[in-house]
Amino acid sequence: NAGVTQTPKFQVLKTGQSMTLQCAQDMNHEYMSWYRQDPGMGLRLIHYSVGAGITDQGEVPNGYNVSRSTTEDFPLRLLSAAPSQTSVYFCASKGRGQPQHFGDGTRLSIL
Amino acid sequence: GESVGLHLPTLSVQEGDNSIINCAYSNSASDYFIWYKQESGKGPQFIIDIRSNMDKRQGQRVTVLLNKTVKHLSLQIAATQPGDSAVYFCAESRMEYGNKLVFGAGTILRVKS
């Protein structure tokens, strides 16, 4: 049981490049979410999904897109990377009545 | 407690002592609260949760206290060990909003041997 798997673990991009951060869970959880964590701050919600085909915006959605075509996968897309998007990105999933389980993050630097 | 910007509050305790980490939450409508532990290079790890119809919940070596009157949450760790050194976050949510979590800024716990 791998839990929540995020790839890649590290990535460096140039301003304006696009990229997809991958997140997969094998626990058949309906709810999945993406957070970003900046130095000295807590996690902030970017987008979330309550099930396949359903997504919604969180606290800081601008510059990010998501889709949920399957229960297992919830990719996060940066269409045109900006230095302000340099951060650590965490994906999480949860089942009914359970707390959110987090992956180990993707560390993204944008030059 | 909470902090702003880059300077997280730090709690230093001696190994074997008890630790108390505090958190002030923002939304009086929040009805579910979680404590997470985050070690360097890792994602947040669930420690314990509590719903708003309770004021205390105990786990293994940990206790969470909830005071809704003053919107305050605390995490007590008994007999603190070096492996407890990490950043601790409280998070709040309203269940009806799909459990979207709002995180505090975190507290650094350092355990001295």
Side-chain angles (χ1 to χ4, degrees):
Chain A
N1 187 343
V4 178
T5 302
Q6 293 185 237
T7 56
K9 294 190 185 306
F10 302 93
Q11 184 69 49
V12 179
L13 294 177
K14 294 181 179 178
T15 297
Q17 286 186 314
S18 62
M19 176 176 186
T20 299
L21 280 60
Q22 302 292 343
C23 176
Q25 54 91 9
D26 60 0
M27 299 172 281
N28 201 33
H29 286 167
E30 292 294 327
Y31 184 87
M32 297 186 73
S33 54
W34 277 102
Y35 294 82
R36 61 177 286 173
Q37 184 177 33
D38 298 299
M41 297 180 68
L43 283 71
R44 291 182 292 168
L45 182 65
I46 305 172
H47 285 286
Y48 66 99
S49 169
V50 298
I54 306 169
T55 64
D56 207 344
Q57 296 181 349
E59 181 186 359
V60 288
N62 292 339
Y64 307 96
N65 285 345
V66 292
S67 59
R68 186 90 181 273
S69 56
T70 67
T71 298
E72 294 78 18
D73 300 299
F74 190 42
L76 178 72
R77 296 184 185 86
L78 284 70
L79 298 179
S80 180
S84 61
Q85 294 178 303
T86 293
S87 190
V88 183
Y89 291 85
F90 289 100
C91 178
S93 74
K94 73 179 292 295
R96 187 182 298 272
Q98 298 177 9
Q100 293 195 33
H101 295 267
F102 287 83
D104 282 336
T106 294
R107 284 144 187 85
L108 182 63
S109 293
I110 298 161
L111 307 177
Chain B
E2 299 299 317
S3 69
V4 176
L6 299 177
H7 304 289
L8 294 181
T10 300
L11 176 65
S12 294
V13 300
Q14 197 68 36
E15 181 180 0
D17 287 351
N18 296 334
S19 302
I20 299 176
I21 301 172
N22 296 304
C23 176
Y25 64 92
S26 58
N27 189 344
S28 57
S30 293
D31 54 13
Y32 179 61
F33 306 88
I34 309 179
W35 280 99
Y36 283 94
K37 172 186 180 183
Q38 187 177 27
E39 296 173 292
S40 181
K42 296 288 189 180
Q45 177 186 2
F46 170 79
I47 302 173
I48 192 167
D49 59 1
I50 189 169
R51 301 188 190 280
S52 59
N53 60 351
M54 303 173 68
D55 54 18
K56 179 179 180 179
R57 192 172 187 207
Q58 288 184 291
Q60 187 176 11
R61 276 202 312 119
V62 295
T63 300
V64 56
L65 298 178
L66 174 63
N67 185 331
K68 295 182 289 293
T69 301
V70 295
K71 293 191 289 185
H72 183 268
L73 198 64
S74 68
L75 176 71
Q76 300 177 3
I77 304 173
T80 312
Q81 302 169 0
D84 294 327
S85 293
V87 180
Y88 288 80
F89 293 96
C90 66
E92 60 182 295
S93 80
R94 290 186 62 182
M95 300 288 286
E96 66 184 277
Y97 289 160
N99 293 329
K100 293 185 294 182
L101 293 177
V102 176
F103 281 80
T107 296
I108 299 170
L109 176 64
R110 291 203 175 104
V111 182
K112 298 174 286 187
S113 298

